[in-house]
Amino acid sequence: MNKAFLILCLLACQKANAQQTLFMPQNIKKAYTNETRSMDGKPGKNYWQNYGRYTINVVVAPPAKAVTGNETISYFNNSSKPINSIVIKLIMNIHAPGTGRQGTVGADYLTSGIHIDQFTENGKVSKFADAAGETWKRVSLAKPVAHGDSVQLGFTWHYDLSEKSGREGKLDSTSFFLAYFYPRVAVLDDVFGWDRMAFTDAQEFYNDFNDYTVAVTVPKNFLVWGTGDLLNAADVLQPPYFEKFNKSFTSDDVINVATQKDIEAKNITIQNATNTWKWKASDISDMAYCISDQYVWDAASILVDKKTGRRASCQSAYLNNATNFHNQVKHIQHSLDWYSNNWPGIAYPFPKSTIIQGFADMEYPMMANDSPQPDDVIQRFIAEHEVGHSYFPFYMGINEHRYGFMDEGWTTAFENLIGQADIGKEKANTFFKQFRVAGWALNPTDETQIPIITPVNILSGQAMGENEYGKPALAYLALKDMLGDVLFKKALHGFMDNWHGKHPIPWDMFNSFSTFSGKDLNWYFSNWFMNPFYMDISVDKLTPSATGYSLNVKNIGGYAIPTDVLIEYTDNTKEIVHATAGIWEKNQQAATINIITKKKIAFLKLDSSIYMDADESNNTWGQKIKGSSNN
């Protein structure tokens, strides 16, 4: 072997080591080969996605549990191939006996499921076989839908609300929450084809961005809150209440649109036998509604886009005895303001945000179903988390079935950041460790050491929870720390600008951050998302150097985590040296932290804060100075 050839081989090996390739399943590779997605993190030149226009009419008459509805769907095929059959999601079948679920349920959870009374294709009645307890159904079409063409589907349907309140169902005798209440076309995408995943009441959802017009018919004296703009408030509300509601759209102060006294007077709505509340939303992934003749109603607004002067409505509906719900509109205002101007730092993208009293602590587009809490700090915390989901998944179109870490993980990271603004960094991090980290970090097991990239639909229990929430949140926060706020925000905004209203997958996110940061971050994303690691670093040795000391640290657990070196000098002074996760880029098993000082170190300790070390017994060097407060 000649010398020149040897040098070329060595250079090639060095380049290969420097640019680590991310693991990518075969079906993911195919999307990049087909150029529907691009390795620079952007949608590819052949990217496509389908959408629908939904017109839905639904009728509910509490205390009767029956929900009846009809809808037309104009479904547009932008894919490269004709569509010969279509997949319909029937999520309310989760309540039917025999439907597969991740947990056990009681009798009050069960119903007979959703029933399709009539199905039409382009106006002609067609057969729709019973789904037999499945939450999706494939339907053959009489005529294929060509690329660029559309099909009009019609459904008449009914189901009974579950007595078991949760994500949807009865909240009390005459307060109902309608979510996932209508048949919908499943997502057809360039990576997985039709989304045929069953809903098991554990993992969450994946929807196209559609246009909706929804009419909700209820008896008089029932109020309706929901996703989208209320088009006919003057037709359903008596003038005094319409005026207060209308005023709330420009008011910073909370307006009590309907008080307990008003509810008891039973004269808030127009006194027809029934009233139809009409709603509209465009480019949105779902619709949800709450109806009640018992809930009081608060409203205000908040400036969310300082450049354009755009405001967003903030509304809340709840039982008057839910003490801290009286602060809910203020919590929404605070959340929208903080998220719009800090992290993610993108103006709240929707016209309103409503939180109703329920049980689920669950998010929906422009809506949340939150439990009442005796502690207002916890009430605000829940509101902030659910409102935070407005960005991931509802603005970003995440496939929550498979990649829950792309919505729950990001929202949990924002949760920590807004918490620091609310109650201070120390308290927020203490709460974060207790609630999001300690349960798995201090007791790593075969369930908690499953790679984050593992599709969440095949997980359950602790493995699913930790891979969706705490672990990815730490990965995002450590990346922010490593890149710095300016570069991190540039990369985050680059990703969000390119993919909002679309369907990004993890590799689009990973590639976007590398592109917009100008750094090869494959090593980092591989470390955090592709490996069965845990958090455990240790002090190896401390040696004097020309500028002070070199501290050698070992990575026992594998995750590339940041850490603080808490130092006590012999002169009884103290210092903190921060090391970002970047110290592990060259060697993920060992790293060196340079401590620049002219003083003599007596004692030091690695303190990784929210990146909780599984074994802290090997995190120190030297002897503590007597009376020192470090521990």
Side-chain angles (χ1 to χ4, degrees):
M1 182 182 295
N2 63 52
K3 185 175 180 181
F5 183 72
L6 178 61
I7 291 172
L8 287 173
C9 287
L10 289 172
L11 290 173
C13 289
Q14 290 174 356
K15 184 176 181 181
N17 288 333
Q19 297 181 343
Q20 183 174 346
T21 301
L22 281 173
F23 162 76
M24 187 180 290
Q26 291 300 309
N27 59 323
I28 304 297
K29 288 182 180 179
K30 189 174 180 180
Y32 289 93
T33 300
N34 292 339
E35 297 187 276
T36 54
R37 295 164 194 270
S38 173
M39 291 301 292
D40 62 3
K42 299 177 181 179
K45 66 177 184 180
N46 297 325
Y47 180 80
W48 58 267
Q49 66 188 64
N50 294 345
Y51 75 100
R53 292 176 185 158
Y54 286 67
T55 300
I56 303 172
N57 299 289
V58 62
V59 179
V60 194
K65 297 186 293 183
V67 178
T68 61
N70 63 76
E71 67 182 315
T72 58
I73 308 170
S74 296
Y75 183 72
F76 295 82
N77 179 22
N78 294 322
S79 71
S80 57
K81 298 178 181 179
I83 295 175
N84 298 301
S85 63
I86 203 159
V87 174
I88 302 298
K89 290 293 180 106
L90 303 167
I91 297 172
M92 284 300 95
N93 271 345
I94 190 63
H95 293 286
T99 300
R101 288 176 285 268
Q102 282 213 357
T104 59
V105 298
D108 56 356
Y109 180 95
L110 297 175
T111 70
S112 61
I114 188 168
H115 303 275
I116 304 302
D117 302 312
Q118 180 175 282
F119 168 64
T120 61
E121 176 187 339
N122 292 322
K124 295 183 179 180
V125 176
S126 184
K127 183 179 179 180
F128 194 99
D130 184 76
E134 296 291 340
T135 55
W136 63 271
K137 179 74 176 176
R138 187 182 72 83
V139 181
S140 296
L141 296 175
K143 178 184 177 183
V145 186
H147 166 76
D149 204 352
S150 65
V151 61
Q152 187 174 84
L153 308 173
F155 291 92
T156 301
W157 43 267
H158 72 276
Y159 73 93
D160 285 344
L161 285 162
S162 170
E163 292 281 352
K164 173 68 176 181
S165 298
R167 289 178 173 174
E168 39 73 30
K170 291 184 68 173
L171 303 175
D172 59 43
S173 60
T174 56
S175 301
F176 296 172
F177 195 72
L178 307 182
Y180 332 119
F181 61 94
Y182 57 95
R184 68 194 67 195
V185 181
V187 176
L188 174 67
D189 68 25
D190 61 306
V191 180
F192 302 103
W194 283 109
D195 173 26
R196 292 185 173 90
M197 284 192 188
F199 175 57
T200 65
D201 217 5
Q203 294 87 6
E204 295 182 19
F205 303 94
Y206 184 35
N207 297 312
D208 274 324
F209 288 84
N210 303 309
D211 297 335
Y212 289 90
T213 301
V214 180
V216 182
T217 299
V218 294
K220 65 181 179 181
N221 299 321
F222 276 81
L223 302 175
V224 183
W225 303 269
T227 306
D229 293 318
L230 178 58
L231 302 179
N232 66 332
D235 297 330
V236 294
L237 294 172
Q238 298 279 17
Y241 301 99
F242 170 72
E243 290 174 10
K244 287 193 286 184
F245 171 66
N246 201 41
K247 183 180 178 181
S248 73
F249 286 91
T250 55
S251 174
D252 291 315
D253 297 325
V254 177
I255 294 173
N256 305 125
V257 180
T259 66
Q260 183 64 29
K261 183 178 179 180
D262 298 326
I263 295 293
E264 293 169 357
K266 295 185 179 301
N267 195 39
I268 300 172
T269 71
I270 300 299
Q271 294 298 291
N272 300 321
T274 62
N275 291 306
T276 298
W277 300 58
K278 298 178 181 179
W279 305 81
K280 187 176 182 63
S282 300
D283 199 28
I284 198 77
S285 59
D286 205 357
M287 305 286 271
Y289 296 93
C290 177
I291 67 173
S292 179
D293 66 346
Q294 300 184 60
Y295 282 6
V296 298
W297 182 6
D298 296 339
S301 65
I302 188 72
L303 178 66
V304 293
D305 191 334
K306 295 178 180 178
K307 292 182 179 179
T308 65
R310 179 171 61 86
R311 301 179 72 88
S313 173
C314 308
Q315 301 182 41
S316 182
Y318 55 95
L319 292 173
N320 196 52
N321 62 6
T323 303
N324 290 311
F325 253 84
H326 286 270
N327 297 323
Q328 199 68 274
V329 166
K330 293 180 181 178
H331 295 335
I332 299 170
Q333 288 176 306
H334 169 63
S335 300
L336 298 189
D337 178 57
W338 198 91
Y339 289 134
S340 296
N341 295 294
N342 294 278
W343 298 103
I346 288 177
Y348 179 70
F350 305 114
K352 68 188 292 188
S353 180
T354 302
I355 297 180
I356 63 93
Q357 179 184 339
F359 298 89
D361 300 335
M362 180 68 188
E363 71 279 359
Y364 314 81
M366 307 187 209
M367 288 281 283
N369 171 348
D370 285 0
S371 57
Q373 296 294 322
D375 185 335
D376 192 48
V377 173
I378 302 300
Q379 195 77 71
R380 181 181 62 195
F381 164 77
I382 295 171
E384 290 171 347
H385 183 93
E386 306 313 336
V387 171
H389 275 297
S390 302
Y391 296 94
F392 295 87
F394 300 131
Y395 185 58
M396 296 300 293
I398 303 302
N399 184 342
E400 300 174 89
H401 277 325
R402 295 178 183 270
Y403 306 123
F405 65 86
M406 290 182 71
D407 75 293
E408 296 292 359
W410 276 111
T411 303
T412 302
F414 298 148
E415 165 197 302
N416 174 256
L417 296 173
I418 194 173
Q420 291 183 32
D422 290 344
I423 58 177
K425 184 175 182 179
E426 184 176 352
K427 287 184 179 179
N429 283 352
T430 297
F431 183 77
F432 193 78
K433 287 190 286 186
Q434 292 173 346
F435 189 51
R436 299 298 192 188
V437 187
W440 59 273
L442 301 184
N443 185 32
T445 67
D446 53 353
E447 282 199 25
T448 62
Q449 290 180 242
I450 294 173
I452 297 173
I453 200 66
T454 306
V456 74
N457 62 290
I458 62 174
L459 298 176
S460 63
Q462 187 178 16
M464 182 178 74
E466 308 306 355
N467 271 16
E468 285 190 303
Y469 292 81
K471 287 163 66 175
L474 289 177
Y476 301 139
L477 291 170
L479 181 61
K480 174 178 177 290
D481 178 61
M482 184 174 73
L483 294 179
D485 285 0
V486 173
L487 197 55
F488 179 79
K489 183 165 282 189
K490 177 184 177 182
L492 177 61
H493 283 193
F495 169 52
M496 295 180 73
D497 289 346
N498 280 330
W499 283 100
H500 72 83
K502 299 180 177 67
H503 294 309
I505 58 176
W507 290 266
D508 300 317
M509 179 176 70
F510 300 150
N511 292 333
S512 292
F513 270 79
S514 288
T515 295
F516 286 100
S517 70
K519 299 178 180 293
D520 179 9
L521 297 173
N522 282 356
W523 74 271
Y524 183 83
F525 292 122
S526 179
N527 175 281
W528 266 99
F529 292 88
M530 312 297 179
N531 286 286
F533 291 156
Y534 63 102
M535 297 183 294
D536 185 11
I537 61 175
S538 69
V539 170
D540 182 17
K541 60 181 178 179
L542 182 70
T543 56
S545 69
T547 57
Y549 292 88
S550 293
L551 174 62
N552 295 94
V553 182
K554 288 184 177 180
N555 193 342
I556 299 169
Y559 275 142
I561 64 173
T563 192
D564 284 333
V565 185
L566 309 182
I567 304 169
E568 294 183 11
Y569 294 107
T570 55
D571 65 358
N572 212 27
T573 59
K574 299 172 184 177
E575 184 180 11
I576 299 175
V577 174
H578 181 67
T580 74
I583 63 173
W584 307 107
E585 180 175 3
K586 302 297 182 183
N587 184 343
Q588 292 175 37
Q589 287 76 48
T592 299
I593 300 172
N594 293 315
I595 301 170
I596 301 175
T597 184
K598 294 181 179 180
K599 299 180 180 181
K600 185 176 180 180
I601 295 178
F603 173 82
L604 61 78
K605 177 183 178 181
L606 301 178
D607 181 358
S608 301
S609 186
I610 58 174
Y611 306 87
M612 299 180 74
D613 197 305
D615 178 12
E616 292 189 344
S617 66
N618 51 19
N619 285 14
T620 62
W621 178 95
Q623 296 293 321
K624 289 177 61 64
I625 298 174
K626 187 176 181 180
S628 170
S629 60
N630 278 347
N631 50 56

